[in-house]
Amino acid sequence: MADNKRITCLLIDDDIDDQELFAHALKHLDVSVDFVTANDGVHAIDKIKTDSNFNPYFIFIDVNMPRMNGIECLVEIKKISKVKNTPVYLYSTYGDPDTISQGKKLGAVDLLVKANNMKELEQTLAGILTTKTTEHKSDID
């Protein structure tokens, strides 16, 4: 993928270690991705609303965060016109069926359970990003 076709991935997570693991996993993929983080939902919503040039192609939201949890953040994101159709994945340490169901009803693509190791996270992200970026590339060609 050429540099002019880079995509932006937003991770909303209050855990700095999880942000670093996510960034490390993305670096190992054969996809041109700009990685942006927000430490909580309030920060993310503010960035999306106030930065007219910021338009992430993927959004990953940690379910358990202070100030605004992942479900609340998802609801607010889906109200913002420029990102309402952006694929959003909830991201959590456990795959609670009620949270998965609620998230999907509110517009999340799925809930990803945080990986136990780097290889597992890389494989999960590769499955999402390579499929979607191929679709994205054909959309802009």
Side-chain angles (χ1 to χ4, degrees), residues 94-110:
Y94 55 92
D96 174 56
D98 291 336
T99 304
I100 295 169
S101 176
Q102 182 181 20
K104 286 183 174 183
K105 285 178 187 172
L106 294 170
V109 175
D110 205 351

Side-chain angles (χ1 to χ4, degrees), residues 33 54 57-59 66 69 86 106 108:
V33 176
F54 183 65
Y57 192 71
F58 294 98
I59 300 173
N69 70 38
T86 300
L106 294 170

Side-chain angles (χ1 to χ4, degrees), residues 44-77:
I45 298 301
D46 183 56
K47 178 160 185 59
I48 293 167
K49 285 182 174 180
T50 59
D51 185 346
S52 60
N53 295 318
F54 183 65
N55 193 12
Y57 192 71
F58 294 98
I59 300 173
F60 297 87
I61 308 171
D62 181 26
V63 172
N64 298 307
M65 295 182 292
R67 295 205 306 166
M68 177 185 287
N69 70 38
I71 295 294
E72 294 165 337
C73 184
L74 172 63
V75 168
E76 293 306 310
I77 284 173

